[in-house]
Amino acid sequence: MADKAYQVIVRGRFAPLDAGQRAALLARADEHDVFAARFTEEGTVTYERSLLGFTFRCVVRATAEDAAEVVTGRAEALAAAAVRGLGADHGDLTSVATDLDSIKVRPRGR
């Protein structure tokens, strides 16, 4: 079984935050802005200072036989754990995955 890699973006909303959670997230907001976004196996969480929602980017490895739901399910579990690691909870997760084999990078013409 050949391994495949997928770039997955998970978007979600923060669950209602208390004052302490809000202050902690705001104190670290600069570390989690869009410029910190990376597709890694651990994933990265980005969010804006409005604290309405977040975006999680990761790379998920799977077999060729794994369905898209398996890939996005793994990514959503990673996203939930990452948000809990920030001291918050989540709701309303939606995901989109791209098979890295299907991405064609063409060099620019001279």
Side-chain angles (χ1 to χ4, degrees):
M1 289 193 264
D3 279 347
K4 295 180 76 80
Y6 296 85
Q7 281 185 340
V8 185
I9 296 176
V10 180
R11 288 188 175 87
R13 292 196 162 282
F14 286 111
L17 301 167
D18 64 29
Q21 291 171 314
R22 183 170 291 284
L25 287 171
L26 286 174
R28 296 179 295 186
D30 289 340
E31 299 168 20
H32 295 278
D33 70 355
V34 73
F35 296 110
R38 301 286 181 267
F39 284 97
T40 65
E41 290 193 20
E42 300 82 33
T44 58
V45 177
T46 60
Y47 56 88
E48 295 179 9
R49 291 184 175 278
S50 65
L51 300 178
L52 296 176
F54 61 87
T55 303
F56 181 78
R57 292 168 178 82
C58 66
V59 173
V60 174
R61 300 215 179 270
T63 65
E65 291 79 27
D66 285 335
E69 293 80 19
V70 172
V71 172
T72 57
R74 288 179 188 160
E76 288 176 4
L78 287 171
V83 170
R84 280 193 304 273
L86 294 174
D89 207 354
H90 68 85
D92 299 331
L93 298 178
T94 58
S95 304
V96 62
T98 302
D99 181 351
L100 291 180
D101 290 340
S102 70
I103 297 174
K104 303 288 188 244
V105 177
R106 287 177 271 170
R108 290 185 174 187
R110 294 178 197 216

